[in-house]
Amino acid sequence: QVQVVESGGGLVQPGGSLRLSCAASGIIFSAYAMGWYRQAPGKQRELIAHITPGGTTNYAGFVKGRFTISRDNAKNTVYLQMNSLKAEDTAVYYCNADRTTNYWGKGTRVTVSS
């Protein structure tokens, strides 16, 4: 059974940092591309960052220089380090494992507010 579980969300002040984690099980993690997405209230889900099995990364323009995606294949985990957070980063953050089949986690909520 495949499980994708996000953690690390919470309330943070503007300018602060959070690190999200996503642990996957039931798949050959190293063979999957992994992505972080987010969905704010009333908006569509959008891609934030993506990392290939080989470690190549891509970012949405609105997070470049602030967010960093990384993976630890030994721990079957992908991370999203988020710095310089803004109120507009408030959303539910989702992890995706992508190969021939997509697997999604249930999300972790990030609220950026003073």
Side-chain angles (χ1 to χ4, degrees), residues 67-87:
F67 292 9
T68 303
I69 188 171
S70 60
R71 66 190 298 159
D72 185 338
N73 289 338
K75 295 183 178 179
N76 287 4
T77 300
V78 62
Y79 304 97
L80 186 68
Q81 177 67 43
M82 305 188 295
N83 299 327
S84 303
L85 283 161
K86 307 174 183 179

Side-chain angles (χ1 to χ4, degrees), residues 33-38 46-52 56-64 67-70 78-82 93-96:
M34 300 298 295
W36 283 100
Y37 293 72
R38 70 185 185 188
E46 59 186 358
L47 175 65
I48 302 167
H50 179 269
I51 186 166
T52 68
T56 300
T57 58
N58 282 290
Y59 297 91
F62 54 81
V63 301
K64 272 185 179 177
F67 292 9
T68 303
I69 188 171
S70 60
V78 62
Y79 304 97
L80 186 68
Q81 177 67 43
M82 305 188 295
Y93 284 68
Y94 296 91
C95 179
N96 173 263

